[in-house]
Amino acid sequence: MADVDAKAADGTEQPKKKSKTMLFIILGSAILLLGGGGFFAYTKFLAPPPTPVEELIDQKTELPPTVGEIVTLDPFVVNLADPKGNRYLKMTISMELESLEASERTQKLAPKLRDIVIMMLTSLSFEEVMTPEGKLRIRDELLERFSRVTKPDKIKNIYFSEFVVQ
């Protein structure tokens, strides 16, 4: 205390230190200004131009076709045409149709479609059913036979949701 009073009396008092608050404000303002300028320069000069609306509309029209109505038949368990007679096939078939009306009409034809499947599968042997080519052949043949029965409705595709051979 006595020392401070002595310096004040001498006139050699040291100046007070300036606060660093002003430095932080200036530094923050400079960072914001540079960031904003950089963003403006990027969006105006470097960024790719936005896609025109017409192209977006064209892209939407090129969407993949939607899945149609699905009708699933009850599961099938059939004996295969095996000489020993102890081979079974269990499968579930789903059909993709174009419209709801077509699916309603196809459901009315389910007994006919089940008969076609049973008659076809019981004529096949274990070796014909087990290969991937055999499964594709079964699918193609069922699609052809189902399409004949369901005319004028068109079956888009047939799916095997269950396929077990024992």
Side-chain angles (χ1 to χ4, degrees):
M1 206 54 178
D3 190 36
V4 173
D5 290 337
K7 286 183 181 180
D10 292 342
T12 60
E13 184 178 335
Q14 293 181 355
K16 287 186 174 181
K17 289 186 175 181
K18 290 185 180 179
S19 173
K20 291 185 177 182
T21 308
M22 193 61 154
L23 177 67
F24 288 125
I25 291 173
I26 292 172
L27 192 60
S29 298
I31 289 172
L32 285 175
L33 191 63
L34 287 174
F39 177 74
F40 177 77
Y42 174 75
T43 56
K44 286 293 180 186
F45 305 115
L46 300 176
T51 307
V53 176
E54 292 85 23
E55 286 185 28
L56 291 175
I57 292 172
D58 289 342
Q59 289 175 354
K60 286 182 180 179
T61 58
E62 295 173 4
L63 293 175
T66 59
V67 176
E69 294 293 322
I70 301 289
V71 174
T72 302
L73 297 175
D74 292 336
F76 295 90
V77 179
V78 296
N79 293 326
L80 293 175
D82 192 36
K84 297 177 186 171
N86 55 3
R87 296 284 186 174
Y88 302 98
L89 170 64
K90 181 178 181 184
M91 69 184 308
T92 303
I93 298 173
S94 299
M95 299 173 287
E96 182 182 356
L97 299 160
E98 291 179 331
S99 65
L100 181 62
E101 295 82 23
S103 70
E104 290 171 355
R105 286 189 292 263
T106 303
Q107 286 176 346
K108 291 179 182 175
L109 296 171
K112 244 181 182 179
L113 299 175
R114 289 188 61 81
D115 180 61
I116 290 171
V117 172
I118 290 171
M119 295 307 288
M120 185 185 133
L121 293 178
T122 54
S123 67
L124 299 175
S125 68
F126 175 75
E127 289 77 23
E128 291 174 304
V129 170
M130 281 307 296
T131 63
E133 294 83 18
K135 291 172 186 162
L136 290 174
R137 190 178 69 84
I138 292 170
R139 178 185 298 164
D140 292 342
E141 197 165 324
L142 284 175
L143 184 61
E144 181 185 326
R145 291 182 183 190
F146 284 1
S147 294
R148 275 189 257 147
V149 172
T150 60
K151 275 186 181 176
D153 297 323
K154 183 180 177 198
I155 298 174
K156 289 179 163 180
N157 207 346
I158 289 179
Y159 304 103
F160 297 142
S161 52
E162 184 177 35
F163 199 97
V164 179
V165 179
Q166 183 180 10

